[in-house]
Amino acid sequence: GQQLNQSPQSMFIQEGEDVSMNCTSSSIFNTWLWYKQDPGEGPVLLIALYKAGELTSNGRLTAQFGITRKDSFLNISASIPSDVGIYFCAGHGRSNYQLIWGAGTKLIIKP
Amino acid sequence: NAGVTQTPKFQVLKTGQSMTLQCAQDMNHNSMYWYRQDPGMGLRLIYYSASEGTTDKGEVPNGYNVSRLNKREFSLRLESAAPSQTSVYFCASTKRGDADTQYFGPGTRLTVL
């Protein structure tokens, strides 16, 4: 079945640093989504991408839909303490109702 | 608006016991979903309901049943709990025409001994 490989699994960074994470697939996705999960809560949608090559920003977050349609990247600039959490990529599965999820990238900010 | 609510927040079961996880949304959304989240595995879809009156299997439906009681409520039942069902369970909903923006509840942490 379709799978999304997300890397890195976790990141330890200093406040103020920029962060990059990515998601790859062996098959083509028509939509790439980036969600964030705060500790003890459900995920929340950050950015949605619908076209190959698309670059979209949401505040300090920027995401790109890869040209091959098999990958996507999320960058966070100038990280702050509230950025901690788990970031998930997701894309549509067999139907529009089914999302396939990456395993997540856990962001930890060093004190 | 409470959004998506789930009960209970925590539950411990013994192997073989049954229980029902409750989910309700007050956003008038058409579609609802049940996921499980296990460490290092992301979210996996158990069942979903595209609209009131319909339910469909997701990626990992074995050992679970669901009921879409009405437009607001979607419950998940474990008939005979197994340790492999220890997980965090999330309910989500989406409005018609926007399956990408899933609104999640706070989750139920289930342990099966």
Side-chain angles (χ1 to χ4, degrees):
Chain A
Q2 291 175 299
Q3 282 189 317
L4 294 180
N5 299 307
Q6 200 170 341
S7 65
Q9 275 191 316
S10 60
M11 303 180 74
F12 289 80
I13 60 168
Q14 301 274 11
E15 185 177 346
E17 284 183 356
D18 295 343
V19 172
S20 276
M21 60 191 79
N22 69 76
C23 202
T24 61
S25 169
S26 57
S27 55
I28 287 171
F29 276 76
N30 293 318
T31 301
W32 284 95
L33 308 166
W34 285 94
Y35 277 77
K36 183 197 176 196
Q37 183 179 28
D38 288 327
E41 310 213 354
V44 173
L45 180 66
L46 298 172
I47 293 178
L49 302 160
Y50 297 104
K51 213 185 324 185
E54 181 181 353
L55 189 72
T56 297
S57 293
N58 178 2
R60 293 176 297 104
L61 277 62
T62 302
Q64 183 160 26
F65 191 143
I67 289 290
T68 65
R69 292 163 64 195
K70 293 184 178 181
D71 58 7
S72 180
F73 302 86
L74 177 70
N75 296 317
I76 305 173
S77 61
S79 56
I80 60 177
S82 62
D83 289 336
V84 300
I86 304 177
Y87 292 80
F88 291 102
C89 61
H92 285 298
R94 294 194 309 273
S95 80
N96 276 343
Y97 295 103
Q98 296 195 42
L99 291 182
I100 307 296
W101 295 77
T105 293
K106 188 171 187 177
L107 188 62
I108 301 157
I109 295 188
K110 292 183 256 190
Chain B
N1 270 0
V4 179
T5 56
Q6 291 182 237
T7 55
K9 278 192 178 335
F10 301 94
Q11 184 72 49
V12 178
L13 293 177
K14 293 181 182 175
T15 296
Q17 286 185 316
S18 62
M19 79 161 294
T20 300
L21 281 63
Q22 307 285 356
C23 173
Q25 51 89 13
D26 63 1
M27 297 175 283
N28 200 35
H29 285 173
N30 289 299
S31 305
M32 298 184 74
Y33 310 78
W34 275 106
Y35 289 95
R36 59 178 289 172
Q37 183 177 27
D38 300 298
M41 296 191 71
L43 289 140
R44 292 184 292 170
L45 183 65
I46 305 171
Y47 271 94
Y48 67 98
S49 170
S51 60
E52 188 179 354
T54 69
T55 60
D56 284 285
K57 293 179 181 179
E59 184 186 353
V60 289
N62 291 348
Y64 305 95
N65 284 302
V66 290
S67 295
R68 183 73 182 267
L69 304 167
N70 48 55
K71 193 171 185 180
R72 290 187 65 246
E73 299 171 288
F74 188 38
S75 62
L76 178 73
R77 182 158 178 86
L78 286 70
E79 288 292 350
S80 178
S84 61
Q85 294 178 305
T86 293
S87 188
V88 181
Y89 291 85
F90 286 99
C91 176
S93 69
T94 59
K95 58 185 177 185
R96 191 192 297 276
D98 185 12
D100 297 337
T101 308
Q102 302 208 355
Y103 294 83
F104 284 82
T108 294
R109 189 174 292 274
L110 175 68
T111 301
V112 183
L113 302 174

